[in-house]
Structure formats: C-alpha cells, structure tokens
Amino acid sequence: MTETRLNDRSIIRLSATDGSEDIRAFLQGLVTQDMTAVAEGAPQWSALLTAQGKVLLDFFLWADGNDILIDCEGDQAGALVKRLKLYRLRRKIDIARDDSLAVHWALDAGDRPVDPRLAGLGHRWLADTDAGEAADEAYRKHRLSLGVTEGAAELGSDKTLWLECNAAELNGVSFTKGCYVGQENTARMNYRQKVNRRLVVVPIAQADEKRQRIAYPDYDLSVEHRRVDDLTALDLPDWLARAL
C-alpha cells in the first residue's frame, strides 16, 4: 500500500498561545459538528455555514493534544484561515497551515481511522508529507462511486444548504450541540423534514445540465443539485435511498 497521500488536501493547525484559551470552545460556536465528538483517532466531518445555513467550506476536524487540526481542500486553505481569523478577534489562538503533515487515504488500512461519513469510504489518517504516493484520483473515483460529494466544486460556496449536501446522513452535523453560525435554519429544516433538494451523483447519461454542478467524464458521472421529487427514477446509493 504505497498510493495513500491526498495531495489536494492541506492541514490547518489551531493552537492556543495562552494557556487560558480553549480551541474547542472557540470552534464550538462556529462549526456544524459537536467539538466534544472530536477525539484522538476519531476525525469528524464538519463545515462553516452562512447565517442562512448554506455551506461555505467543508472539512475534517482532528484532535492533536490540545490543538485541533483541520483537514481541508488545499485550494481553500487560505480562505479558511482568513475566515477563522476574522472570528478569532482578540483571542490568543494561532491559526496557520501545517505543511509538515499530509492527509492519507486507503480502502483498507488496518487500524487507521475509518472515514466518519461512511464506512465504505475507507480509512483516513494524517502522516508525514513524504510518506506514500499520490492517491487523489483513486480516492475521488471511489468517493463518487458511493454518491458522496465534498469540496467547493461539488458543494458550491454559499450555494447549497448544508442539509442538502446530505450532511445529516453523512454525520456532518450535530442537532444537540447548541448554537453555531447557520444553526437556526439548519435545525428548522431537520425538525420539519423540509430538505427539498439534494446533491446527488448520477451517470452522465442521466445528467441534467441545468442542475449540474460539475461533470466527471472520465468516471461517466455528474454531480447535480436536484429536487427530491426528481430522484425517484435514479439508482441511488443505499445510504441515501434509505434516508429519502
């Protein structure tokens, strides 16, 4: 197993520069995931939302002692650092990229952490940047084959409500943690069961260009934002079919 490194991912480290600061408390009021669930070896999928509940950036949260590591798209790392610094205000928290670590992935990697969204996605872990070889293509192809979307190109930025990204079904949101940015509309949609649209991955032959976010011709797949009423004729993955 040598092809494990995801080169299109980056790591952001949040660390306290003063012993009185609590990184988890800082993030608890910002992200969709309950920070108490983020433990050593137990990453959690999460996001920053707009006040209306639309996703801005999605990422994984990792615990590293008192620090929190954020596993995010490399192209979006700068934007995420900038946004977190806006929320930081005068808190004594250092927020910066950590280029000493890389994200790694494999379908079967023994006791490495299982992807928190869906066990079928395989294993995910952090290691040195010089370990392994590029596995981005294999990871993307496998992820899309399971109907799981992620990243700005697929989810959009300020375009899609977080629950429309299948966040509830893929363990990307806590409904018991309390307030965070975008929580009010997200909670209302969940309790009223009013998720009227979904992000889905469909064969190119079934694509609708008006609803398409991005096409992957090499995989014969299209990521689309469709009304739930339009999904009945599609061959959906089991996890999404059960939810609908």
Side-chain angles (χ1 to χ4, degrees), residues 85-102:
K85 285 183 176 180
L86 287 175
Y87 286 119
R88 178 182 59 181
L89 301 176
R90 295 183 179 180
R91 302 187 73 160
K92 296 177 180 178
I93 299 173
D94 186 52
I95 304 170
R97 292 177 65 148
D98 186 340
D99 294 327
S100 69
L101 292 172

Side-chain angles (χ1 to χ4, degrees), residues 4-242:
T4 65
R5 193 175 65 246
L6 300 182
N7 290 331
D8 62 1
R9 306 292 295 183
S10 292
I11 300 296
I12 297 171
R13 180 179 292 274
L14 284 77
S15 55
T17 58
D18 184 304
S20 64
E21 292 289 358
D22 186 336
I23 305 299
R24 291 174 184 269
F26 167 64
L27 290 173
Q28 184 76 334
L30 298 178
V31 303
T32 62
Q33 189 57 257
D34 188 346
M35 291 304 301
T36 63
V38 182
E40 297 284 347
Q44 302 294 324
W45 189 45
S46 189
L48 276 175
L49 309 182
T50 67
Q52 295 73 36
K54 293 183 178 180
V55 62
L56 291 171
L57 298 156
D58 73 304
F59 41 79
F60 293 84
L61 298 163
W62 297 77
D64 184 22
N66 292 326
D67 292 357
I68 293 293
L69 304 178
I70 299 179
D71 153 9
C72 66
E73 279 188 287
D75 290 345
Q76 301 299 319
L80 181 51
V81 168
K82 183 177 180 180
R83 186 166 290 274
L84 289 172
K85 285 183 176 180
L86 287 175
Y87 286 119
R88 178 182 59 181
L89 301 176
R90 295 183 179 180
R91 302 187 73 160
K92 296 177 180 178
I93 299 173
D94 186 52
I95 304 170
R97 292 177 65 148
D98 186 340
D99 294 327
S100 69
L101 292 172
V103 181
H104 293 257
W105 167 86
L107 267 179
D108 186 3
D111 59 353
R112 300 290 192 178
V114 175
D115 193 300
R117 295 169 295 181
L118 198 66
L121 285 167
H123 299 254
R124 190 180 195 98
W125 68 98
L126 306 182
D128 293 340
T129 55
D130 58 356
E133 299 174 9
D136 300 88
E137 188 77 11
Y139 168 70
R140 186 182 304 111
K141 184 176 181 180
H142 180 66
R143 173 175 60 78
L144 291 168
S145 75
L146 295 178
V148 177
T149 55
E150 68 177 35
E154 296 170 15
L155 307 185
S157 181
D158 197 8
K159 292 182 179 180
T160 318
L161 292 164
W162 187 225
L163 296 191
E164 294 177 345
C165 302
N166 307 305
E169 292 73 25
L170 296 173
N171 305 310
V173 57
S174 168
F175 296 111
T176 59
K177 63 170 284 185
C179 295
Y180 56 89
V181 179
Q183 179 266 344
E184 184 176 357
N185 196 35
T186 302
R188 184 185 302 115
M189 287 178 65
N190 177 64
Y191 293 130
R192 293 182 178 178
Q193 293 295 292
K194 292 291 186 181
V195 185
N196 297 322
R197 292 176 175 81
R198 295 278 185 166
L199 278 179
V200 292
V201 182
V202 303
I204 290 286
Q206 297 179 344
D208 183 337
E209 291 186 3
K210 293 181 180 179
R211 298 180 175 91
Q212 188 178 80
R213 282 289 169 78
I214 185 172
Y216 293 96
D218 291 347
Y219 312 146
D220 192 35
L221 294 172
S222 172
V223 175
E224 306 191 355
H225 189 215
R226 294 199 182 197
R227 290 191 62 84
V228 171
D229 296 344
D230 296 336
L231 303 182
T232 54
L234 298 179
D235 184 16
L236 300 175
D238 290 343
W239 62 266
L240 183 54
R242 287 195 301 270

